[in-house]
Amino acid sequence: MLDLKWIRENPDALDAALARRKAAPVSAAILDLDKKNRATVTELQSLQGRRNEVSKQIGGVKAKGGDAAPLMAEVAAIKDKMAALEAEGTKLGEEVRQILLTLPNVLQADVPDGADESGNVEVRKWGTPKTLDFAPKDHADLGTALGFMDFNQAAVISGSRFVVLKGALARLERAIAQLMLDTHTEQNGYTEVNPPLLVKDEALLGTGQLPKFADDLFHTTAGHWLIPTAEVSLTNLVAERIVEASELPMRLTAFTPCFRSEAGAAGKDTKGMIRQHQFEKVELVSIVTPEESAAELERMTACAAGILEKLNLPYRVMALCAGDIGFGAQKTYDIEVWLPAQNTYREISSCSNTGEFQARRMNARYRPPGETKGTRFVHTLNGSGLAVGRTLVAVLENYQQADGSIVVPDALRPYMGGLTLIKK
RNA sequence: GGACAGAUGGCCGAGUGGCUUAAGGCGCUGGUUUGCUAAACCAGUGUAUUGGGAAACCGAUACCGAGGGUUCGAAUCCCUCUCUGUCCGCCA
């Protein structure tokens, strides 16, 4: 959520920021509502002041046994006016809030311009794709042929965009998650968390999925939402809290299933495990001071990329352009891993700095040391470290042999009971 | 799911209709004293909105879990809800 005061002082900057995301200007509409709201509030407050004053006088008059009727008549008249103003003020304030909740974050100045994915800029590249002396198969064909990946029976059980992993591939997925968690907790300073997967409206409002993106989420009959990413649960760990400066930076990681309706993705990535309703992900979340957030984004991206380096999987880091960047982010790096069967790089992680955007929505603050009064909003960052399902895809495709067997990457062997080759 | 008890500032905690401008304590900040530290003492210290001011600042309003209601006036009385604790039931 953006700061209303900032909008008041910088309406043109808001509209310019929206234009970068190809969104229509709204500052005039907000400022108009805000102006009416403030006039209403001012009038209401002066009436409340008068009411309080007269009520006190009534107390005094009655205590002395005098006649308070004229004073009481005045208060009655004030109350009539107040009711109308209060309703008006509530309505206007809510209208302003609803608009604010739907405004995307303001992009950082160094975010490249661009309308869509094609405008993203490569920041760096690591590793060299192996040249295979045979035609690479995609992960779905490999896994199915091995007998450890079953899309057909998954469809019987759950419909499209689900998969059943069995045997060595089920274990491989677990091994990948283990490697990620161990690396982030033992080497990168993150604290492992096992958070709720079902959350309330407020949690999703806080991270920004609601109110705009309800269609992308699953909702239960009891009123809960299934998390589309552990970012929701982890970031809300500081919701409605004032954290001590000594607790920052707070680095959290979680291995969880994620649930997405993929409502707008009909026809996209229909084959294989790339886009599923349910997938596993190791998430990274950092809660930091405003001064630290820019450097933390670089650090987090490096932590995520480090997993691919351990697995010796070629990747590139892309700075997302204005048209491709998510709703709540100020700046985002995507990490894309090399997939031989698609002969291209595909997203496997997305690391974003949201600045105070989420913190403002969830009222997450900290007390800066040395300042006796006042609190400041924390900055929040999130990133995949990494998408486990897609990492499995990358391992299968990059480590495949001509006979369809899969060499287990060195880094995963300790987690696979020493297994070195996955074959039928 | 049932019964009972709770929810007050950063934290603890008092407060049963107007002397509340939310007592007191802890913490924090500044000061005094002082070889240093500590202690003691003094002072200050919530959030949001809004008005005035160039600013330091000054004023107003709201906020005692949330939302309604009663009343001239509500932290305090009433209703609904949420959450927490204890016990019971059910349960992986």
Side-chain angles (χ1 to χ4, degrees):
Chain A
M1 190 155 66
L2 302 178
D3 183 3
L4 184 57
K5 263 188 217 152
W6 177 82
I7 294 174
R8 220 177 267 156
E9 286 157 16
N10 306 279
D12 295 338
L14 171 65
D15 288 340
L18 289 171
R20 290 200 70 193
R21 291 184 183 260
K22 311 284 178 234
V26 294
S27 70
I30 292 181
L31 259 39
D32 180 53
L33 283 170
D34 178 49
K35 197 174 158 192
K36 285 182 193 157
N37 185 33
R38 288 156 76 194
T40 307
V41 166
T42 305
E43 196 182 343
L44 178 64
Q45 287 184 353
S46 79
L47 284 175
Q48 284 169 328
R50 179 63 190 158
R51 179 201 60 188
N52 292 346
E53 196 182 326
V54 175
S55 289
K56 251 180 202 160
Q57 289 173 15
I58 290 171
V61 169
K62 282 196 165 179
K64 286 176 194 155
D67 177 16
L71 291 170
M72 287 170 77
E74 183 183 348
V75 171
I78 290 173
K79 278 178 75 180
D80 287 344
K81 274 196 229 168
M82 273 174 50
L85 282 170
E86 214 168 342
E88 180 69 5
T90 304
K91 186 178 137 250
L92 289 166
E94 189 51 31
E95 279 178 45
V96 171
R97 189 180 123 81
Q98 284 308 320
I99 295 175
L100 287 178
L101 282 175
T102 60
L103 293 182
N105 205 347
V106 174
L107 301 170
Q108 285 181 13
D110 61 351
V111 169
D113 283 318
D116 54 34
E117 202 179 331
S118 63
N120 297 344
V121 174
E122 184 179 306
V123 177
R124 63 192 175 89
K125 202 178 245 178
W126 185 91
T128 315
K130 247 187 283 181
T131 44
L132 301 173
D133 53 8
F134 58 91
K137 295 192 186 110
D138 76 28
H139 68 281
D141 290 342
L142 287 164
T144 306
L146 285 167
F148 297 140
M149 192 182 280
D150 190 340
F151 291 97
N152 292 333
Q153 196 60 27
V156 171
I157 301 168
S158 302
S160 65
R161 294 199 190 281
F162 288 90
V163 67
V164 176
L165 294 182
K166 292 182 281 192
L169 290 192
R171 180 157 192 183
L172 184 64
E173 185 167 50
R174 180 159 57 91
I176 288 167
Q178 291 269 79
L179 171 70
M180 291 176 185
L181 280 176
D182 286 353
T183 302
H184 295 316
T185 56
E186 291 166 13
Q187 290 164 33
N188 295 333
Y190 286 81
T191 301
E192 184 172 350
V193 177
N194 193 345
L197 309 180
L198 296 172
V199 299
K200 300 195 288 185
D201 296 15
E202 287 82 355
L204 288 154
L205 275 169
T207 39
Q209 282 81 9
L210 290 180
K212 272 189 103 168
F213 306 106
D215 286 351
D216 299 332
L217 305 168
F218 288 110
H219 199 216
T220 72
T221 52
H224 287 107
W225 302 86
L226 278 69
I227 57 167
T229 158
E231 167 202 343
V232 176
S233 309
L234 291 180
T235 310
N236 275 285
L237 248 26
V238 293
E240 302 295 340
R241 279 186 59 200
I242 299 174
V243 301
E244 295 303 324
S246 58
E247 294 179 73
L248 303 178
M250 196 184 289
R251 297 192 174 104
L252 308 165
T253 185
F255 167 52
T256 70
C258 303
F259 304 92
R260 299 189 184 178
S261 73
E262 296 295 348
K268 240 195 228 172
D269 300 312
T270 49
K271 186 181 180 189
M273 285 180 63
I274 293 288
R275 194 176 297 274
Q276 304 267 286
H277 286 309
Q278 174 189 323
F279 61 96
E280 294 183 337
K281 181 156 62 67
V282 170
E283 182 72 1
L284 304 173
V285 161
S286 293
I287 312 294
V288 302
T289 64
E291 291 74 21
E292 294 167 332
S293 69
E296 185 71 11
L297 179 63
E298 304 299 325
R299 184 188 190 278
M300 175 180 278
T301 307
C303 288
I307 301 293
L308 293 174
E309 291 173 21
K310 285 193 170 190
L311 293 171
N312 201 23
L313 292 169
Y315 70 87
R316 63 179 188 179
V317 177
M318 306 293 287
L320 294 199
C321 73
D324 199 32
I325 216 160
F327 176 77
Q330 288 183 340
K331 180 177 179 177
T332 298
Y333 290 122
D334 270 9
I335 301 173
E336 299 181 342
V337 68
W338 176 254
L339 292 186
Q342 296 192 12
N343 196 38
T344 187
Y345 290 91
R346 285 300 304 259
E347 178 187 340
I348 197 164
S349 171
S350 190
C351 299
S352 299
N353 182 3
T354 75
E356 63 173 37
F357 187 81
Q358 294 179 325
R360 191 179 281 281
R361 286 172 164 247
M362 61 178 71
N363 200 24
R365 295 157 293 160
Y366 79 107
R367 201 174 290 285
E371 290 178 30
T372 50
K373 54 174 153 183
T375 54
R376 292 165 74 193
F377 290 114
V378 296
H379 277 202
T380 65
L381 300 95
N382 62 81
S384 348
L386 308 155
V388 175
R390 288 188 181 182
T391 304
L392 179 89
V393 166
V395 167
L396 293 185
E397 295 196 7
N398 282 279
Y399 282 86
Q400 63 178 295
Q401 309 294 299
D403 65 359
S405 63
I406 312 293
V407 173
V408 176
D410 290 340
L412 294 176
R413 290 180 187 178
Y415 299 104
M416 293 292 288
L419 188 71
T420 57
L421 187 71
I422 297 174
K423 58 184 190 223
K424 205 165 177 175

